[in-house]
Amino acid sequence: MNSRFLPPLEAWFAARGWQVFPFQREVWQAAQEGQSGLLHASTGAGKTYAVWFAALLRAAALAAPAAPAARKPPRGLRLLWLTPMRALAADTLRALQESSAMLAPDWRIESRTGDTSSAARARQARQLPEVLITTPESLSLMLSQNAARSQFERLDMVVVDEWHELMGNKRGVQVQLALARLRRWQPQLVVWGLSATLGNLERARDVLLGGAHGVLVEGALRKQILVDTLIPEHPARFPWAGHLGLQMLEAVAREIAGHGATLVFCNTRSQAELWYQNLLAARPDWAGLIALHHGSLDKEVRDWVELGLKQGRLRAVVCTSSLDLGVDFLPVERVLQIGSAKGIARLLQRAGRSGHAPGRSSRLTLVPTHSLELLEAAGAIQAVKERDIEARRAPDKPLDVLVQHLVTVALGGGFRSEELLEEVRGAWSYRALGDEEWQWALDFVARGGQSLIAYPEYRRVLPDEEGVYRVPDQAIGRRHRMSIGTIVSDASIQVKFLRGSRIGSVEESFISRLKQGDHFLFGGRILEFVRVHEMTAYVRRASGSRGAVPRWQGGKMPLSSELAHAALEQLRRAATGEYASAEMRAIRPLLEIQQRWSALPTPGQTLAESLRSREGRHVFIYPFAGRSVHIGLAALLAYRLGQRKPASFSIAVNDYGFELLSADADSDWAEYFDLPHGAEVALFSSEHLLEDVLASLNAAELSQRRFREIARIAGLVFGGYPGQPKSQRQLQASSSLFFEVFRKHDAGNLLLTQAQREVLEQELELGRLRVTLDELRQRAVSWHETARPTPFGFALMVERFREKLSTEKLSDRIARMLRELEKAAGP
DNA sequence: GACCTGCTGCGGTCTG
């Protein structure tokens, strides 16, 4: 490409009254020189950038040496634009088409996800448009076509929008593998990513580019972001625990009434249902002006809500992360976050949903649901000011995604082992893939591994006489294309009115607890359950205002380290009497009770509390490391204490700390924490950490759950044909069958190893657990025997999570039960 | 005196 076309490009923009920013010029310059990179786009919509990039390519195409006069300019795909969401693809397509008359009148600009008619697909199969907007899944599908290579032969540039959303998960790995393939076909390929603010932008660039050289361009437009807190009117009477936060209902309703369109973010779907219902009850005149939006509602319902937001018809929408991304809702003026945002990145993302136009600022208001969240709010506001934002880690060589990719490539023209290995290692996540691991994956798709040799449906890929691996059977190819992707969703039950219109879906377990005639709250309405037929629950509208609320078994996100540290820092200041912010002044009375009865946990000192109650002996410890670390830590300590003296513990955790409870109130195990500094160090040792963690938790059961997802991605378990979903139970049965077969007959199966690794790394956050142990060993323990639960301890006592761990000998247990019986029976 | 968590995203077949 030739840089002399940069000035005309700028003139082109200027003629349309579009401002050109210095960082934009930087991207153009770099891309024209054939460089790849990452643009840190802290503000602005991807679709605007799409126009910039298309303009750049167009200028370059015009600059290329003219084709012989008689010939038409060559057609074919030039720019591939990847977005993580279909809604974004549609939005970007619209923006590009609006400028296409001026930009490139003879270019076709299409989206692969927009028009999925067979005519459109056939046209694209013959000849791709010059600009194609699509998703990671669709790109993989294209790579699975036999003629894939020729479709991409003219490709100049790939841009990955919202890369921060993809890089940390398996969808991002899928993108990495696809890019490695495109780069191999087209070594000059220019790849750019657009990313929101992350704690590790350089790494984000490296992951995208497979470690190859690239630039990082800083988008200079820094949006003003205002974060504040809705302080409870009577902080002293605000609950010490709880997550629903309906005490704030009136205050929230007043906020909504006093401002323009508002998004009300909730952390869970059932919470959103309850808030929507309660807001309507508090302001009946808002019927039709407020709406509900979450991932289990039917697409048609959600589309209606999104349109209403866009057109400015709605005053407020109560939602979950379903509205984190997606098209821009210009009218949104305010964002409310009910309960903990759990992380700074998420908070900024949500804040950015408001004031979505140049020059306008974003405003987010935190709504605490219990007292300690005031502390989190104070920390969050500070962290936002300092832009202390979480990093994202790319998964490390997930073999399920690799196995899927092998079949995709075998379908898309076939591969030779050594060549594909080299290509795969060009993807960041597989840069350290070992030869044995490669051989294992190859063997797995060729024979199904050791234990499945007898089953032809697992011989998915076979080498021909020339050593080219291909898929030998059409049916296998069809099945594979139907299950491409890394998103595994649980089978759920459709909810429909008797007349047939769809409302959404709930989990099977919830419906199975309902009897005919029972009422439940879903989609913002009270429904009466009628019957279940073929994975569909039929309902009718019900009168009344009460009903059970469906619970969905979703992910459990822990408080991020950044936010936890920010909260702990606020405690450090409070310990020295510094209460500078409104949040901290509101929580002051509570923290003073905490200090009076015990002490404040601070970054330099671990607080341990002990309490005797009717339930037994409690120890509370507050490392502020997030709930998943606390689960591992609590189980580990219980295990290590149990090694010294047989005991049985109940465990409770939250994001701030954990509780160990032993029913034996007279036992002296708790005093281990009260010994002179050094005695507890052995408990906090990170020696034999892995063994102890595995021994202390039911790791097999956790792995089995993980394995369900892995089996789906690796293509072991087929989700069923559209319109006839297998029930949850069927899916579980087949994946657990594989799990058992592998464990018994194929212990070296690397998918099993991967399941265990994912549990340790993602569910228990072993790395963070190790860091926490190191911190705990270095800090002094401040030990307090208290007469009653402190504010921090109370929150733990009401946590419902109770995990039994018993290293106690059966006889001791029976003796204890007898003692209790005698006590209960009286003299 | 206080309480009752758990997100999001995509894709596809067959017939005549």
Side-chain angles (χ1 to χ4, degrees), chain A residues 570-584:
Chain A
Q570 293 296 319
L571 281 173
R572 187 192 62 76
R573 294 184 192 180
T576 64
E578 182 190 333
Y579 288 91
S581 60
E583 292 80 11
M584 292 306 286

Side-chain angles (χ1 to χ4, degrees), chain A residues 227-231 347 366-368 372-383 563 567 570 581 583-584 656:
Chain A
V227 181
D228 59 3
T229 309
L230 213 51
I231 308 279
L347 198 149
L366 297 161
V367 182
L372 290 178
E373 274 180 357
L374 284 163
L375 184 70
E376 242 186 75
I381 289 170
Q382 189 60 31
L563 190 44
Q570 293 296 319
S581 60
E583 292 80 11
M584 292 306 286
Y656 310 131

Side-chain angles (χ1 to χ4, degrees), chain A residues 44-227:
Chain A
K47 59 180 184 185
T48 322
Y49 298 103
V51 177
W52 300 355
F53 279 103
L56 166 74
L57 273 184
R58 179 60 178 177
L62 291 177
R71 288 250 213 89
K72 282 188 178 170
R75 309 225 52 131
L77 183 64
R78 312 298 292 264
L79 171 62
L80 182 65
W81 187 274
L82 286 181
T83 76
M85 274 177 72
R86 280 181 305 212
L88 275 172
D91 222 30
T92 307
L93 178 68
R94 227 169 293 123
L96 275 174
Q97 283 175 338
E98 275 163 22
S99 354
S100 82
M102 299 174 287
L103 205 65
D106 57 331
W107 276 13
R108 273 161 63 203
I109 302 171
E110 291 175 13
S111 127
R112 199 185 145 92
T113 51
D115 184 359
T116 51
S117 68
S118 50
R121 284 283 157 95
R123 195 175 64 234
Q124 288 182 356
R126 276 198 305 278
Q127 176 90 86
L128 286 177
E130 275 69 29
V131 180
L132 183 68
I133 303 158
T134 192
T135 57
E137 287 76 12
S138 281
L139 175 57
S140 287
L141 273 168
M142 289 164 74
L143 292 180
S144 78
Q145 304 302 327
N146 196 31
R149 182 167 190 164
S150 65
Q151 295 209 307
F152 292 99
E153 65 187 345
R154 306 205 60 80
L155 184 64
D156 292 315
M157 188 187 273
V158 181
V159 183
V160 186
D161 193 11
E162 313 267 6
W163 176 236
H164 59 280
E165 278 296 319
L166 295 168
M167 84 166 271
N169 54 44
K170 289 180 183 176
R171 286 185 91 192
V173 177
Q174 191 181 5
V175 172
Q176 289 182 49
L177 286 168
L179 288 178
R181 189 131 193 81
L182 295 179
R183 269 195 299 264
R184 185 175 187 86
W185 287 340
Q186 196 66 265
Q188 302 302 313
L189 187 70
V190 173
V191 176
W192 278 81
L194 304 178
S195 171
T197 310
L198 286 180
N200 55 344
L201 282 168
E202 282 90 3
R203 172 56 61 86
R205 174 200 56 198
D206 294 343
V207 173
L208 180 71
L209 304 182
H213 175 77
V215 289
L216 179 60
V217 175
E218 195 56 42
L221 294 178
R222 185 152 162 177
K223 201 177 191 76
Q224 208 197 345
I225 298 167
L226 303 171
V227 181

Side-chain angles (χ1 to χ4, degrees), chain A residues 288-302:
Chain A
L289 294 177
I290 65 174
L292 176 66
H293 192 283
H294 63 69
S296 291
L297 294 177
D298 190 70
K299 187 163 183 332
E300 229 169 87
V301 178
R302 295 169 53 169

